[in-house]
Amino acid sequence: MIGWLLRRIAQAALVVALMTVIVFVGLHAIGNPVDILIGDDMNQQERLEAIARLGLDQPLWRQYLAFVEGAVQGNLGKSFVYQEDAIKLILHRLPATMELAVGALILAIVIGVPLGLFAGMKPDHPISKALMAFSIVGFSLPAFWVALMFIMVFSVQLGWLPASGRGETRELFGIAWSWLTWDGLQHLLLPAFNLALFKISLVLRLTRAGVREVLPQDFVKFARAKGLTNTRVVIMHVLRNTLIPLVTVLGLELGATIAYAVVTESIFAWPGAGKLILDSINSLDRPVVVAYLMVVVVIFVTLNLVVDLLYKLLDPRVRLEAAR
């Protein structure tokens, strides 16, 4: 087990190292921030001094080595626009994005898994067929359009929920959280549900497919033959085996939700890292963009490792294979 864990950590470190090269080189190929950050009213000498101050006068390989040296020390560069450490800007905004992403994932699990179980246990029921039709709609609707419709209906016409902002927050472990206050929860609900709509459809269909696959298995028939109640059979045998592929998808989807929350954060004016990265891309603030992408890479790699560990807890066959 320890050997396997060390191998996985080494693989994760290699992936992060390769991604630093891809991100750094790719980002420096899409535009020159000098054209945006330095005004036309500067003379040539002032422009050269500003370029040198930003470190953009060095060859790309020197800039990359300086980035790696700083990254090893926990410094991913200073923002061209805000004149602050890029990693501090990201970490200051990241809790809001994490809160939104985790909220969306919780909604997807709480809504999608029970509906998927019902659809899998009773596939011919009219409600099951309606749920499958709903899941297709959830896949098809663009997130920005759904967000605008949510605001129009629930905020403008009905006045039930606020349309923008994070609302009142309360600190826990030195970090401000919306879910600790009623006003914050109200502000969180619409953007979280908008972000969760695709995930709900995905979880619903995956759960239904898993249930339909597990139900005919011999161990389920044997459990019923032993006289176990239907609820115990569903929870202990059907649901547990259905969760094995679902864990992988949900782990990756959490990373994707964090990475692609930009649209939702922009429409609902949610003050997270997604909105910050959108503004940084518009101003070609390279250090902030690089820092954000590297944080996302680390999150994805970490989630993959956690998913592998959960696999070993859920499926004894994986533990036995790793022990050989």
Side-chain angles (χ1 to χ4, degrees), residues 128-146:
S128 299
K129 295 179 180 179
L131 289 174
M132 299 310 294
F134 162 78
S135 67
I136 296 175
V137 174
F139 279 126
S140 306
L141 293 177
F144 72 90
W145 182 85
V146 174

Side-chain angles (χ1 to χ4, degrees), residues 108-153:
I109 295 172
V110 170
I111 297 174
V113 171
L115 294 181
L117 272 174
F118 179 84
M121 298 294 293
K122 300 180 178 181
D124 297 325
H125 197 283
I127 295 179
S128 299
K129 295 179 180 179
L131 289 174
M132 299 310 294
F134 162 78
S135 67
I136 296 175
V137 174
F139 279 126
S140 306
L141 293 177
F144 72 90
W145 182 85
V146 174
L148 293 175
M149 291 301 101
F150 280 169
I151 292 174
M152 180 66 69
V153 174

Side-chain angles (χ1 to χ4, degrees), residues 52-71:
R53 188 167 59 251
L54 296 175
L56 299 175
D57 59 331
Q58 300 294 322
L60 182 58
W61 65 273
R62 283 186 181 275
Q63 294 183 44
Y64 175 72
L65 290 180
F67 165 75
V68 172
E69 182 180 355

Side-chain angles (χ1 to χ4, degrees), residues 88-89 97 101-102 123 125 134 172 207 241 295 298 309-310 315:
K88 288 184 179 179
L89 286 172
T97 298
V102 172
H125 197 283
F134 162 78
L172 179 65
T207 304
N241 286 274
V295 168
V298 171
L309 290 173
L310 289 176
D315 194 344

Side-chain angles (χ1 to χ4, degrees), residues 27 30 36 262 274-286 288-289 292-293:
L27 187 62
I30 63 174
I36 297 177
V262 178
K275 192 172 185 303
L276 173 66
I277 194 62
L278 193 62
D279 296 337
S280 299
I281 290 173
N282 290 331
S283 60
L284 285 180
D285 195 349
R286 285 178 180 172
V288 175
V289 178
Y292 176 78
L293 293 176

Side-chain angles (χ1 to χ4, degrees), residues 17-307:
L18 291 174
M19 285 304 299
T20 61
V21 178
I22 297 173
V23 167
F24 199 84
V25 174
L27 187 62
H28 282 66
I30 63 174
N32 188 358
V34 173
D35 299 333
I36 297 177
L37 299 173
I38 299 179
D40 296 333
D41 56 338
M42 288 185 177
N43 58 42
Q44 186 63 24
Q45 181 62 30
E46 291 173 333
R47 288 177 62 87
L48 291 176
E49 290 176 357
I51 291 171
R53 188 167 59 251
L54 296 175
L56 299 175
D57 59 331
Q58 300 294 322
L60 182 58
W61 65 273
R62 283 186 181 275
Q63 294 183 44
Y64 175 72
L65 290 180
F67 165 75
V68 172
E69 182 180 355
V72 171
Q73 300 172 4
N75 178 18
L76 295 180
K78 180 175 288 188
S79 168
F80 295 158
V81 176
Y82 300 97
Q83 292 301 307
E84 295 183 32
D85 289 341
I87 191 64
K88 288 184 179 179
L89 286 172
I90 298 297
L91 294 180
H92 179 71
R93 300 284 194 96
L94 192 61
T97 298
M98 292 291 294
E99 185 176 49
L100 185 60
V102 172
L105 192 67
I106 291 174
L107 285 175
I109 295 172
V110 170
I111 297 174
V113 171
L115 294 181
L117 272 174
F118 179 84
M121 298 294 293
K122 300 180 178 181
D124 297 325
H125 197 283
I127 295 179
S128 299
K129 295 179 180 179
L131 289 174
M132 299 310 294
F134 162 78
S135 67
I136 296 175
V137 174
F139 279 126
S140 306
L141 293 177
F144 72 90
W145 182 85
V146 174
L148 293 175
M149 291 301 101
F150 280 169
I151 292 174
M152 180 66 69
V153 174
F154 295 104
S155 298
V156 177
Q157 295 184 353
L158 299 176
W160 290 352
L161 296 169
S164 63
R166 200 179 176 193
E168 183 184 353
T169 61
R170 186 168 296 168
E171 285 197 0
L172 179 65
F173 304 119
I175 301 174
W177 300 101
S178 297
W179 58 271
L180 294 176
T181 66
W182 176 246
D183 182 62
L185 281 174
Q186 288 180 311
H187 281 79
L188 177 64
L189 186 57
L190 274 186
F193 192 78
N194 177 70
L195 201 58
L197 188 59
F198 177 88
K199 316 298 181 203
I200 292 172
S201 302
L202 180 63
V203 171
L204 193 159
R205 297 185 74 89
L206 284 174
T207 304
R208 179 190 181 278
V211 170
R212 298 306 302 162
E213 182 180 352
V214 170
L215 276 178
Q217 300 294 325
D218 290 339
F219 64 87
V220 175
K221 296 178 181 178
F222 181 70
R224 293 187 189 279
K226 288 198 303 182
L228 297 180
T229 63
N230 188 59
T231 302
R232 185 174 178 81
V233 170
V234 170
I235 294 176
M236 298 300 298
H237 297 280
V238 177
L239 183 58
R240 182 176 180 180
N241 286 274
T242 302
L243 286 178
I244 294 174
L246 198 59
V247 163
T248 302
V249 175
L250 289 177
L252 297 177
E253 283 298 319
L254 177 58
T257 304
I258 296 170
Y260 303 127
V262 178
V263 174
T264 298
E265 289 186 3
S266 299
I267 294 176
F268 289 96
W270 188 262
K275 192 172 185 303
L276 173 66
I277 194 62
L278 193 62
D279 296 337
S280 299
I281 290 173
N282 290 331
S283 60
L284 285 180
D285 195 349
R286 285 178 180 172
V288 175
V289 178
V290 170
Y292 176 78
L293 293 176
M294 293 314 304
V295 168
V296 170
V297 168
V298 171
I299 289 174
F300 265 102
V301 170
T302 304
L303 287 174
N304 269 314
L305 182 60
V306 171
V307 165

